[in-house]
Amino acid sequence: MSLNGWLQIVLFIAAVLLLAKPVGVYLTNVFERRKTFLDPICAPCEKLLYRLTGVDAQREMRWTEYAIVMLIFSAATLVLTFLVERLQHLLPLNPQHLPGVESALALNTAISFTTNTNWQSYTPETTMSYLTQMLALATHNFWSAAVGMALAVAFVRGIARRESKTLGNFWVDITRSILWVLLPISIIFSIALVSQGVVQNFRPYDTAKLVETQKITGTDGKPTTVTTQTIAQGPVASQEAIKMLGTNGGGFFNANSAHPFENPTPLTNFLQMLSIFLLPAGLAIMLGRMVGSPKHGWAVLAAMVVLWFAGTFTCYWAEAHTNPLLHHVDQHISALQSGGNMEGKEVRFGIANSALFATVTTDASCGAVNSMHDSFTPLGGMVPMANILLGEIVFGGVGAGLYGMLVFVVMAVFIAGLMVGRTPEYLGKKIESYDVQMAMLYLLIFPLLILGFASIAVLMPNLGLGSLANHGPHGLSEILYAYSSATGNNGSAFAGLNANTHWWNYSLAVAMFFGRFMMIVPMLAIAGNLAGKKIVPASAGTFPVTTPLFTTLLVGVIVIVGALTFFPVLSLRGMRLRS
């Protein structure tokens, strides 16, 4: 570890915390329909959309209707994406004349982008046309992120309201998420990316002549001499902006944010990490303001920062140390090398920014990577996996991170009530058996999907083990990470796993689908139940949710629940997997 590396990490989190309040205030104004500086532009567009679609902006929905409408919208956009993929060979903006996407892969990708996962079992530049990238994938980056924001706002309304039967209007929430938040920031961000060298064009791929010819083994097993290289390009910057801001993570290129056309400079790397945390941090502040307790929002944000720092420190420490398995190799810092474990990392980012990016992208449900997690040291690679296994609530995805964290808040308050022998209260509302049952259902679905699918993959060699590049404990990590990433709607991969098979495409698709939508229903049930409750005046025995003690309890509950659930499988260090 170096002083320069820590300065960059401190600068990053300082920028997040400085922007959290203004972003949180702006989000509060947007979703409470207060006046904002974008109203002259966005308000007329909003009214026109409601008039064209017949939406009554004043009509609010119960939690059940809110959930049903959200599911219908997600299903419709899923079908659209699937059809565009399958028919891309018949559609325009396909200069490379790429064929339609195979059905299993198309379904996996459609579910992946619908659920804000953006898991990619394919090489984008050789699979998806420009139209598919824009019409099917980039647009879904807006839709899925907006759905997450709308759900988070609905949950916060459930906490803030008293004796109410409704949580708002889904169509209004998703429209305002896109028009007032995601679209304007993405436009500014994409322009900034273009200024730094991120590609944005519609040109066919270029062919460059190699300075030195390369000899490779062809698919037929015979040696082949390669003299040229295909330079893929396209409308990258426009997709890159919302990919990060919406915590989507799906790359235009296979190398994702390690590709120089997606992430060319240290400045773009910093901006991409900042954009991942920007809205989740702002939503925590919005929580405090909407429920009338700004300090509570900061207490929740503090818990996120504590968990983020623990992961960042551990990952950076592990990657900055030498790899003991590389004998007789100089891995120490010198004028010629940065030292530490540089395998799978870009030289222009180094160890500090690689460890920080890996932590940030798995703290949020983003999945973008600027280094290969499969090449991290055992302890360094455990951090991204552990971040996902905690439930993607350390900042988390746009919206999804906040409502996931609020479920843990309900559990923390419930445990606090048990410890002092009082009926648990959260911001003046009693936490009763129904709330706890729904919270436990939410928390149990996650490990059930991950461990269930991972066990099947391990026990059926023809399905799961045949795709592994590594065996033993590392192979188990590849399998566990894949299902954790899918169920947690993260989308990053541990690499070393060929996921483009029927088993992996279908099983990961199911994990992504239920990991998103099955967990939303109990969350909305909690919100709907809280909205109908009366406010109970605070008393001497009320557990405060604005203090460092609350933050400590919340962090403890998150860590204990995650540790108790997944510790057994993480302990299987000696298990040997054979295909």
Side-chain angles (χ1 to χ4, degrees), residues 455-468 471 479 503-504 577-579:
S455 62
I456 295 173
V458 168
L459 295 175
M460 302 187 71
N462 294 332
L463 297 179
L465 303 186
S467 294
L468 294 177
H471 298 281
I479 293 174
W503 162 255
W504 285 103
L577 304 178
R578 293 184 180 276
S579 58

Side-chain angles (χ1 to χ4, degrees), residues 57 70 130 190 197 239-240 261 315 408 415 446 454 516-517 533 556 577:
M70 179 275 301
Y130 290 168
S190 60
Q239 183 168 322
E240 191 72 14
F261 283 179
C315 190
F408 274 102
I415 291 172
F446 186 66
R516 172 79 161 185
F517 298 115
K533 295 185 178 183
L577 304 178

Side-chain angles (χ1 to χ4, degrees), residues 88-100 123-133 201-208 229-235 252-253:
Q88 74 174 9
H89 60 294
L90 302 175
L91 299 172
L93 288 177
N94 186 6
Q96 300 306 120
H97 305 291
L98 298 172
T123 302
E125 57 264 49
T126 60
T127 307
M128 302 296 179
S129 69
Y130 290 168
L131 184 71
T132 303
Q133 293 271 23
N201 62 42
F202 292 102
R203 293 174 51 185
Y205 296 172
D206 289 327
T207 301
Q229 178 182 357
T230 300
I231 308 297
Q233 56 200 298
F252 197 96
F253 301 104

